[in-house]
Amino acid sequence: MIELINNIIGNIHSSTPMIRWLVYVMVIVISSVIVLSFALLYEGFATYAERKVAGDIQARIGPNRVGPYGLLQFVADGVKLLLKEDIIPFYADKWLFIIAPYIVFTASFAAFVPLSYSDHVYVANMNVGVLYIIAVSSVVSMAILMGAWGSNNKWSLFGGMRAVAQIVSYEIPIILSLLAAIIIPSSLDMKDIILYQSGGLGIFRWIIFNNPFTLLAFFIYFTAAIAEVNRTPFDIPEAESELVAGYHTEYTGMRFAFFFMAEYGDMFIVSAIAATLFFGGWQIPFINGVAMPLWLRETLQVVVFLTKIFVLIYVMMWIRWTLPRLRVDQLMELCWKYLTPIAFFDLIGASVWVLLFNGKGVYDILSALFVH
Amino acid sequence: MNPYALEAAFFYLFSAMIIGSALLVVLFRNIVRSAFALFFTLFGVAGIYVLLGADFVGVTQVLIYIGGVLILIVFGVMLTHRSYSVDMFNRLGTLVMGAVSAIVTFTIIYYAVRRAPWYSVGYKPALPTTQPIGKELLTTYLLPFELVSVLLVLAMIGAAYLIRSEVTTARERSPITKTGDNDSGLTPEVSSTGVKERGK
């Protein structure tokens, strides 16, 4: 896709600026539409998968009425949510109440942009990709607070404050553990990070296997990431038994759906970062892709990348339906007394490793021993 | 057609966003709304940074100012007892003083902008800035960088100390605060000082 666009732009580079802008705007619009449709389709199927996984773990069948195997359940849900009455509470702060879901959804969707789906399939290859995703997702917490305040409901406000306190706290172990991984390829660019992990049968040069500290960093990251997307066992912002529905108590219909979709979007983003930074992104394991025709290689890479992401999402769902919820103080204790110090130790350890072994991973060192 | 027209369009878009929302910050009577309007101001500034090719600074602006500072401001406003129901409108007497200080500030900035020797780089594609920034911070500007981090550690220790001491005194005075509900989603320390203390 991008290659094609580059060719078109390259050809018209000599043409008038007017046409060049038109093409740029068109490229932006078209790629946004493609990514948005992908994101929405994924979110639809993710809700279906979540219910199927829940059913499986609780020894039920799950949705099986709409379409084959209940696969079209999310379409029915979408139609239902669209047809629901849009209620704005009389004493709500109307402006904040109305714009909050849009900001949540926009911020969550904007994080899809710098992801590198394969060698040539990406929307924007940003120099600061990882940092951009972290920054954009921090806007979500702001918008949650906005909606929670705007609802003028004590459950909403409690939920919103909990959500923000949680997200802000857990951002620290997340960033520290990501830093431990980022110093290995020493780049924030998603594509550079993935390219660094090529070779070693497409598995052994993954950053997670680079050294013991990056292995630890992944587990810190994943634990904190589950908290960051407000899922059980860390879902105190919307703890049903205490807070009705947390920060989206007052939201109905499509506005509620925006919050809901943002949660699934965040799950994808969080897993995509883990897949990119720790599991080699779109590197195809065991198969040498160089000899393949381009279309086959690209397709395989996209499939490999999405498979890694969906496995991680499955683990998140699995955890959600298995573990009970933590209490508020336990949650904060886990973050500040355990995850953050361990993440600090881990970052120092990874830095020392990079200094000692000149940035070489365990695989590089071992293979250098045997090759000579 | 002007080759910079697209950049100019985005510049005016972001400027309008910054100025408009900054006006809202000042004009809203509800302090929470003011805090939320600040969101658009800070976002617009990030947009200007990116437009100038400073991608790292722009993204950091979003991360630090929106994800950190603004959240803390909103939190502070919400946790301060009844501060959100205070009428923020100033009386007429301050209007004159406000106008005078606004005009003076504007004049100073206007002349500073007019007289500054602006250095034009011409049209260049934006280059990655992360690595040069990192290198400069750890070589040329190492001392200021470390001093800032020491300052931040001091601020953190200070904040922790303030909260700690208040909790112990509160606990000594009444045992109720110790077992008080910590439902506000904060650490026990913060909620027992911020809410419980003033509630009594």
Side-chain angles (χ1 to χ4, degrees), chain A residues 17-18 21 93-96 99 103 127-128 131-132 134-136 138-139 141-142 145-146 149 157-158 161-162 164-165 168 175 186 188 328-329 332 336, chain B residues 1-3 5-6 30 32-33 36 39-40 55-56 59-60 62-63 66-67 70-71 74-75 78-79 84 128-131 182-188:
Chain A
M18 185 70 195
W21 295 340
D93 193 330
K94 283 194 187 55
W95 279 103
L96 296 183
I99 59 173
I103 297 180
N127 174 245
V128 286
L131 194 66
Y132 168 85
I134 295 171
V136 163
S138 74
V139 174
S141 57
M142 178 70 216
L145 202 54
M146 203 183 259
W149 170 264
L157 191 56
F158 268 136
M161 286 209 150
R162 280 182 178 192
V164 173
V168 169
I175 292 177
S186 60
L188 287 169
V328 177
D329 56 325
M332 288 298 161
W336 290 106
Chain B
M1 225 170 165
N2 184 356
L6 194 62
N30 184 331
V32 179
R33 277 198 177 188
F36 282 123
F39 167 80
F40 294 99
D55 49 358
F56 184 77
V59 172
T60 316
V62 174
L63 181 65
I66 295 174
L70 187 56
I71 298 263
V74 175
F75 249 74
M78 285 179 176
L79 287 179
Y84 44 85
T129 56
T130 318
Q131 276 190 339
N182 294 321
D183 274 355
S184 59
L186 296 165
T187 51

Side-chain angles (χ1 to χ4, degrees), chain B residues 14-171:
Chain B
F14 285 128
S15 307
M17 189 170 158
I18 294 171
I19 295 171
S21 57
L23 271 177
L24 287 182
V25 173
V26 184
L27 294 179
F28 269 139
R29 288 191 178 198
N30 184 331
I31 192 170
V32 179
R33 277 198 177 188
S34 295
F36 282 123
L38 201 57
F39 167 80
F40 294 99
T41 314
L42 297 172
F43 206 84
V45 174
I48 295 276
Y49 284 146
V50 174
L51 204 60
L52 291 172
D55 49 358
F56 184 77
V57 181
V59 172
T60 316
Q61 161 87 9
V62 174
L63 181 65
I64 304 292
Y65 279 90
I66 295 174
V69 174
L70 187 56
I71 298 263
L72 283 183
I73 291 176
V74 175
F75 249 74
V77 167
M78 285 179 176
L79 287 179
T80 310
H81 189 58
R82 290 195 167 276
S83 69
Y84 44 85
S85 54
V86 171
D87 190 4
M88 290 296 288
F89 186 69
N90 289 323
R91 299 280 160 257
L92 196 63
T94 54
L95 202 67
V96 181
M97 287 308 295
V100 169
S101 62
I103 290 168
V104 169
T105 317
F106 179 79
T107 322
I108 292 171
I109 293 176
Y110 179 77
Y111 278 104
V113 170
R114 284 296 298 275
R115 294 195 176 184
W118 292 104
Y119 165 67
S120 173
V121 287
Y123 185 75
K124 275 198 302 191
L127 292 170
T129 56
T130 318
Q131 276 190 339
I133 288 177
K135 278 199 182 116
E136 287 295 310
L137 277 184
L138 287 181
T139 51
T140 321
Y141 301 102
L142 184 61
L143 187 67
F145 181 66
E146 290 299 325
L147 280 179
V148 166
S149 60
V150 169
L151 188 71
L152 283 177
V153 171
L154 279 179
M156 263 169 69
I157 295 172
Y161 175 76
L162 284 178
I163 290 166
R164 283 279 163 192
S165 64
E166 239 183 292
V167 165
T168 45
T169 51
R171 277 182 185 167

Side-chain angles (χ1 to χ4, degrees), chain A residues 130 134 172-188 193 196 206-221 277-278 340 342-355 359:
Chain A
V130 181
I134 295 171
I172 294 164
I174 282 189
I175 292 177
L176 287 176
S177 54
L178 286 184
L179 264 180
I182 283 169
I183 55 171
I184 309 291
S186 60
S187 171
L188 287 169
I193 293 170
Y196 174 85
W206 289 359
I207 291 178
I208 189 173
F209 299 134
N210 191 280
N211 61 54
F213 299 104
T214 48
L215 185 70
L216 180 61
F218 167 70
F219 290 100
I220 298 170
Y221 170 73
L277 256 81
F278 293 101
T340 308
I342 297 174
F344 262 116
F345 159 77
D346 196 61
L347 177 58
I348 294 170
S351 322
V352 170
W353 181 284
V354 169
L355 275 182

Side-chain angles (χ1 to χ4, degrees), chain A residues 117-135:
Chain A
Y117 296 91
S118 89
D119 207 352
H120 297 294
V121 181
Y122 49 83
V123 181
N125 196 27
M126 264 183 233
N127 174 245
V128 286
V130 181
L131 194 66
Y132 168 85
I133 294 182
I134 295 171

Side-chain angles (χ1 to χ4, degrees), chain A residues 48 105 194 196 225 244 258:
Chain A
Y48 167 77
F105 184 72
I194 295 173
Y196 174 85
V244 188
F258 277 156

Side-chain angles (χ1 to χ4, degrees), chain A residues 158 162 236 242 327-330 332, chain B residues 167 171 176-193 195-196:
Chain A
F158 268 136
R162 280 182 178 192
I236 51 152
E242 305 161 32
R327 226 170 45 215
V328 177
D329 56 325
Q330 290 171 333
M332 288 298 161
Chain B
V167 165
R171 277 182 185 167
I176 305 164
T177 39
K178 197 163 67 182
T179 51
D181 50 344
N182 294 321
D183 274 355
S184 59
L186 296 165
T187 51
E189 286 86 352
V190 174
S191 71
S192 57
T193 52
V195 183
K196 276 284 164 186

